Amino acid sequence: MPPFDDQPHRRFNPLTGVWTLVAVGRTQRPWSGKLEPASGDDRPVYDPECYLCPRNTRAGGAVNADYEGTFVFTNDFASLRPETPLLSDEPHPLLRTETEQGTCRVICFSPRHDLTLALMRPEEIRRIVDLWATQTAELADVYRWVQVFENRGAEMGASNPHPHGQIWAGSALPTQAMAEDAHQRNYFGATGRSMLLEYAELESTDETRVIVDNDEWMAVMPYWATWPFEALLLPRRGVARINDLSPNQRDGLSEVLSGLLVRYDNLFERPFPYSMGWHGAPGTEPAPHWQLHAHFYPPLLNVTMRKFMVGYEMLAEGQRDITPEEAAIRLKGLSAVHYLRRGE
Ligand code: H2U
Ligand code: ZN
């Protein structure tokens, strides 16, 4: 167990260089809320009004393919466009601007409107891992940074319950990527070791914060977590990018991903909202300092309450109300069977 658990303390995130304040006992415990009826569990297999279901017409008139597995299309409201010219302007050091070239895609995880990743079997999730990999490889040939992500649930701004994610790829290295690149590079330069590979080893000798794992992957509540039920998905072997994963690693990932998402849903017996995304090495050059990983940032503190990152968090630094170890114990004690699949 970490020291100072009974006192307010700060923990350092070596990946981003950011501190989080752990102020335990500040609010009620996250599992003491009353259960609200789960929403979104009674969706049809096909929704004629859904812009992601097969064969339906999207805004702007494009018609979705009659797809059976996964389906990818360029976002009809793309924030980034490939034809934007690369320009920069700095009339004064305080007034810097650069244009951003890129593309935005929407990726449907399944033709089934009623499914979620948490309800899919690992074999079905594997299809999505393969899609993330092929999309990343394709876009990394053109753009410096490829951001694969999923906003799940209306609480995180998802516009549609149909299982889907997004990919944005762009010419610049975004702020988070830049911080993680610099910190991993410095650590590798100073120690000759990959930071997150070493971290995964640390976590597996202790296991306090490991939520679910197998021979290839672990889902861990990071020591420095800011969000109440934040998780980090880490491979056990060195790998820089999702498209570099072996078939065996992809199977292992699908299993751990399923294990984490089932527990997330089981925590409050409702679909658990989150934003998740992959961080692989930027570009296509060898990157021994960079270890592939995924972040999960769920906003809930308990079943009825969202963790608001406001006041102190906005103006000083992130703050959490329960220790990561308490949150990990809570999650890993949950059933590996989804609450909607009990009795099947
Ligand atoms: P989110 O649910 O994570 O917001 O993703 C859905 C995306 O789908 C969103 O970015 C796009 C929105 O721009 N979209 C289309 O491309 N076509 C449509 O017909 C509706 C929504
Ligand atoms: Zn649909």
Side-chain angles (χ1 to χ4, degrees), residues 47-100:
D47 177 355
E49 300 300 319
C50 168
Y51 64 81
L52 297 176
C53 275
R55 305 177 300 282
N56 290 358
T57 304
R58 300 199 304 272
V63 178
N64 293 332
D66 190 7
Y67 64 100
E68 282 174 1
T70 56
F71 176 58
V72 183
F73 62 90
T74 299
N75 198 312
D76 299 306
F77 308 96
S79 303
L80 301 173
R81 289 181 295 275
E83 64 273 16
T84 304
L86 287 173
L87 304 167
S88 64
D89 184 52
E90 192 177 326
H92 184 282
L94 295 179
L95 303 170
R96 283 174 68 180
T97 311
E98 59 184 34
T99 57
E100 174 75 352

Side-chain angles (χ1 to χ4, degrees), residues 249-267:
Q249 286 176 307
R250 292 178 189 207
D251 285 342
L253 167 57
S254 308
E255 193 182 281
V256 165
L257 194 49
S258 164
L260 174 67
L261 296 181
V262 164
R263 283 169 181 83
Y264 268 168
D265 276 11
N266 283 347
L267 183 60

